[in-house]
Amino acid sequence: VQLQAFGGGLVQPGGSLRLSCAASGFTLDRPAIGWFRQAPGKEREAVSCLSTNNDITYYPDFVKGRFTISRDKTKNTEYLQMNNLRPEDTAVYYCATELGLSSSYVLCHREPRSWGQGTLVTVSS
């Protein structure tokens, strides 16, 4: 199982970014998928998860209405669309999954077994 995240960068407050995570070694449409982040000096936290059937999402309150997770089965890639970014969204973002796990809620509330390498998002003027 390999995950490779990319798409981070510097963006101004109120701006948008789309992160991508390419999967290899397994079919991305089967397990739940998710995005997590870790800001300097803080613990890693979940920001979005999507269930196996693409029908149930989980978002913590601090990103609801701003972030959207999605999956393209044909490209074996997951995405995180981030809008209205705030300075407090600055962090390294990681994609993650766990084979055999289908629940978005469970994935976002545990330590997934498979992680991408992380991509840095900096929100600053």
Side-chain angles (χ1 to χ4, degrees), residues 1-4 21-34 71-73 75-78 95-101 113-116:
V1 174
Q2 287 190 335
L3 299 169
Q4 183 174 6
C21 178
S24 61
F26 70 104
T27 303
L28 191 62
D29 66 336
R30 292 181 179 176
I33 57 173
R71 169 178 16 211
D72 186 333
K73 298 179 182 180
K75 297 181 179 179
N76 219 30
T77 300
E78 66 175 284
C95 53
T97 189
E98 184 168 321
L99 298 184
L101 184 64
R113 294 182 180 176
S114 300
W115 294 88

Side-chain angles (χ1 to χ4, degrees), residues 45-67:
E45 59 186 358
V47 295
S48 181
C49 291
L50 178 64
S51 67
T52 297
N53 296 324
N54 289 348
D55 57 351
I56 300 175
T57 55
Y58 171 81
Y59 299 99
D61 288 343
F62 55 84
V63 303
K64 276 184 180 177
R66 301 190 298 124
F67 290 12

Side-chain angles (χ1 to χ4, degrees), residues 65-119:
R66 301 190 298 124
F67 290 12
T68 303
I69 187 172
S70 63
R71 169 178 16 211
D72 186 333
K73 298 179 182 180
T74 63
K75 297 181 179 179
N76 219 30
T77 300
E78 66 175 284
Y79 303 96
L80 183 68
Q81 178 66 43
M82 304 184 294
N83 299 327
N84 191 22
L85 283 161
R86 305 165 180 169
E88 55 264 38
D89 294 319
T90 295
V92 177
Y93 284 71
Y94 301 87
C95 53
T97 189
E98 184 168 321
L99 298 184
L101 184 64
S102 62
S103 168
S104 55
Y105 182 86
V106 173
L107 184 67
C108 266
H109 288 83
R110 66 190 288 163
E111 185 77 5
R113 294 182 180 176
S114 300
W115 294 88
Q117 84 285 6
T119 185

